[in-house]
Amino acid sequence: MDRIRNTLRYIALSYKINFTGGARLLVWMVLLILPSVLEIINSRVYSGLIDSFAGLTAGTAVRSCFLWLTLVIVVRGAYSLLTKTKYIVFDRFARESDRKMSLYTVKRVSELEQISFDSSSRFSQIKDAIKTELSLWSLNWQMIIILSSLITIVGSAVIISAYSFFIVLIAALSAVLIVIIGIRLSGLDVESRKKLSKDDHTVGYYDKLFSDSSYAKELKLFSAYEKLIDRWREAYMGRYKLSMGFERKKQKLVMLQGFIEAAAVASASFFIARAAWIGRITIGDFYLYTANFSMLCAALGEISDAVKDLLSLSENYNHFESFTESTSHGERKGAELSLPEKCDIRFDHVSFSYENEPVLKDISFELKNGESIALIGRNGSGKSTLIKLLCGLYTPDSGEIYINDKPYSQYSKSDLYKLFGVVYQDFNKFKLSVRENLSAQRPEAAYDDAELLKVYKNSGLDTERLRNGLDTMLGRDYDP
């Protein structure tokens, strides 16, 4: 039930993002329904054409054959036109929906607590959650397959039941078995992703080591290539063996699906062929019933695959949503914090625990404007943690931090970020232009060249090294 509930949540999100207007939903429904209906009509028209040609020897008018042939051309042409239109329109929907979903996921990730990125116990979880592919179009496409296949199933079942309801029962029985197997395949997909997650991280790390230019000099200087290649091979083979175990299970289930579908088609074809042989139905009816039974079975197989993929996609969505919901803080609202010319800071009995391990306990001190202090302590003693608390990246378990005698919890985090300039030991620069790096916290100053150059020079850097002035890129990622 949880998987079904998660799937419905994902579908609801897709509907909310994609179908902001009734016109788009109408276009989506028309292009979804008409091709399936035309495919069923096409089988009936072909049946009439076959009977009219077969009846030529019995005196059927050539005019009847010409009429059926014209209908075949019209129906096939309409089906081809609608199908091409469907893919063009749906491709446009796909690009737009995935763009919106990307913005949605980036926004959710931006709201994660900093502790989620720093926590060792959540490290794997956050990597899995962020890298999860959440394609709304993949979800939409599975829904399209399911709905269009349902239309095909209903239409084909109505046509076949006019001859024999027993054949419809054969199809229904095979459908139940195929869908059950599909759900089991989906479960194996989820289980394999969970068990392969750690190995994926290990192999991914070694892949990054060998492909990222920033590691090249260390790999050479420490002669680490051979040792790390051996470790990569060991990790890769471990993952490969575990992956192949799951693949063998899936292959057996897929083969069972194929056997059930083949047995159903063979059984139905035998009964229909026997009826045509003894003259109970015409050769056109034989084509009509066999073609519709084949379409029905193909639609059932497509539904089974779509249900499997849909459940897997919803599992990805649930993984992302569950993690981000449990660790997001959103934007803390508060009083506007104008950047003061003078700033006094006071820690008042501040305590903080990291993964249930106390790091700072009952810390109190005061830093007056203009003072310079040095925090001295061993690795892991809490120096960086104290700075992260001051900047608003972490929240104290107890106690309060004051800025000019006002509790900093009263101010929004975005304002606190603007107040402090911090360079951590694991500092990362944005591989953007100098202009964009300098104005990251003040976008309105991006084109105030005089101010930006003043800041640049005050930092002790030489402007002559800027090949393209403030538009010089920091990094080679954008080099042609």
Side-chain angles (χ1 to χ4, degrees):
M1 286 302 296
D2 287 340
R3 298 181 72 187
I4 295 174
R5 192 181 302 111
N6 294 334
T7 302
L8 292 176
R9 285 180 63 196
Y10 198 13
I11 292 172
L13 175 66
S14 171
Y15 179 85
K16 180 180 178 181
I17 290 178
N18 279 308
F19 303 118
T20 53
R24 171 171 289 199
L25 179 59
L26 179 62
V27 170
W28 190 82
M29 293 300 295
V30 168
L31 292 176
L32 172 68
I33 294 171
L34 283 185
S36 298
V37 173
L38 285 174
E39 192 172 17
I40 295 170
I41 293 174
N42 183 64
S43 69
R44 178 66 187 92
V45 173
Y46 262 110
S47 172
L49 179 63
I50 292 170
D51 276 343
S52 65
F53 275 113
L56 282 175
T57 57
T60 301
V62 176
R63 183 179 178 182
S64 176
C65 296
F66 180 76
L67 177 61
W68 282 110
L69 183 59
T70 302
L71 285 173
V72 166
I73 294 172
V74 170
V75 172
R76 288 301 301 174
Y79 175 78
S80 177
L81 178 63
L82 276 172
T83 301
K84 290 178 180 178
T85 303
K86 178 176 76 173
Y87 283 114
I88 292 172
V89 173
F90 285 0
D91 180 67
R92 182 177 176 182
F93 284 1
R95 295 174 187 275
E96 187 173 347
S97 63
D98 280 347
R99 177 184 62 82
K100 291 179 179 178
M101 190 62 184
S102 295
L103 291 173
Y104 171 80
T105 54
V106 168
K107 184 177 183 299
R108 292 300 301 270
V109 171
S110 71
E111 295 173 350
L112 292 177
E113 291 276 9
Q114 181 62 34
I115 193 70
S116 301
F117 295 92
D118 297 341
S119 167
S120 58
S121 65
R122 297 181 185 178
F123 185 66
S124 295
Q125 296 179 44
I126 196 169
K127 285 205 299 182
D128 286 339
I130 292 175
K131 77 174 184 179
T132 296
E133 182 181 355
L134 297 177
S135 171
L136 278 187
W137 184 243
S138 296
L139 172 70
N140 287 344
W141 187 246
Q142 303 312 319
M143 290 299 300
I144 289 168
I145 291 174
I146 291 173
L147 294 175
S148 60
S149 295
L150 285 174
I151 294 169
T152 300
I153 289 169
V154 172
S156 296
V158 169
I159 291 175
I160 296 170
S161 62
Y163 163 65
S164 173
F165 192 72
F166 174 70
I167 295 178
V168 177
L169 290 178
I170 292 176
L173 177 61
S174 64
V176 171
L177 296 175
I178 288 172
V179 170
I180 290 174
I181 294 172
I183 293 173
R184 175 55 184 150
L185 284 169
S186 173
L188 283 174
D189 282 340
V190 173
E191 184 182 354
S192 65
R193 278 199 299 272
K194 288 180 179 178
K195 291 192 175 181
L196 290 171
S197 175
K198 183 178 180 180
D199 291 327
D200 285 339
H201 294 163
T202 304
V203 173
Y205 172 71
Y206 290 124
D207 287 342
K208 183 180 179 181
L209 275 180
F210 301 135
S211 61
D212 193 331
S213 60
S214 62
Y215 294 99
K217 61 180 182 297
E218 283 78 11
L219 289 171
K220 291 180 182 297
L221 287 171
F222 297 110
S223 302
Y225 271 113
E226 186 174 347
K227 178 189 293 185
L228 291 176
I229 287 174
D230 287 341
R231 288 191 177 183
W232 173 85
R233 185 182 294 112
E234 181 182 351
Y236 180 85
M237 289 306 299
R239 184 198 180 283
Y240 175 78
K241 290 178 181 178
L242 184 58
S243 175
M244 287 306 298
F246 283 106
E247 286 301 317
R248 281 191 288 270
K249 292 179 182 179
K250 294 178 190 177
Q251 288 168 4
K252 290 177 182 179
L253 291 174
V254 170
M255 289 177 65
L256 181 58
Q257 271 187 330
F259 174 78
I260 292 171
E261 186 174 337
V265 172
S267 301
S269 298
F270 171 78
F271 287 111
I272 297 171
R274 182 173 177 275
W277 180 261
I278 63 178
R280 288 179 56 191
I281 59 175
T282 66
I283 189 67
D285 289 336
F286 171 76
Y287 170 80
L288 177 66
Y289 298 139
T290 53
N292 275 276
F293 189 82
S294 296
M295 287 193 296
L296 190 151
C297 288
L300 291 172
E302 289 177 352
I303 284 182
S304 173
D305 292 339
V307 167
K308 175 178 72 70
D309 293 339
L310 189 62
L311 290 173
S312 296
L313 287 167
S314 65
E315 187 71 22
N316 290 344
Y317 167 74
N318 180 58
H319 182 58
F320 177 81
E321 287 291 330
S322 297
F323 183 80
T324 53
E325 284 175 2
S326 65
T327 59
S328 295
H329 60 74
E331 169 57 21
R332 186 175 71 199
K333 304 298 180 182
E336 182 178 354
L337 176 62
S338 58
L339 297 178
E341 293 184 4
K342 296 183 178 181
C343 185
D344 295 331
I345 297 169
R346 177 163 55 91
F347 275 59
D348 186 24
H349 301 286
V350 172
S351 297
F352 180 79
S353 297
Y354 185 79
E355 296 186 337
N356 298 321
E357 290 291 332
V359 178
L360 298 174
K361 186 176 181 181
D362 200 28
I363 299 295
S364 296
F365 69 91
E366 188 170 359
L367 176 60
K368 293 290 186 180
N369 177 66
E371 290 183 343
S372 297
I373 66 170
L375 298 175
I376 301 173
R378 296 179 179 180
N379 288 340
S381 61
K383 302 183 297 298
S384 295
T385 299
L386 187 145
I387 300 301
K388 289 178 180 178
L389 285 166
L390 176 61
C391 296
L393 292 174
Y394 291 170
T395 302
D397 296 336
S398 61
E400 186 60 88
I401 301 172
Y402 294 89
I403 298 175
N404 290 341
D405 292 326
K406 293 183 179 180
Y408 94 144
S409 58
Q410 294 182 5
Y411 302 107
S412 68
K413 288 193 174 184
S414 58
D415 281 338
L416 287 175
Y417 299 155
K418 292 177 182 178
L419 183 61
F420 298 101
V422 184
V423 179
Y424 289 101
Q425 58 190 9
D426 55 351
F427 161 75
N428 283 301
K429 66 183 178 184
F430 297 121
K431 296 183 180 180
L432 303 172
S433 67
V434 173
R435 181 188 304 280
E436 290 168 303
N437 271 274
L438 290 177
S439 61
Q441 275 284 20
R442 291 180 56 199
E444 69 278 3
Y447 294 98
D448 186 347
D449 287 13
E451 181 68 17
L452 292 178
L453 286 172
K454 178 181 177 182
V455 171
Y456 187 85
K457 291 177 180 178
N458 287 343
S459 66
L461 298 174
D462 187 359
T463 56
E464 293 182 0
R465 298 182 61 186
L466 299 178
R467 291 180 299 172
N468 298 314
L470 292 171
D471 294 314
T472 301
M473 302 301 292
L474 300 180
R476 298 178 295 177
D477 291 49
Y478 297 98
D479 287 350

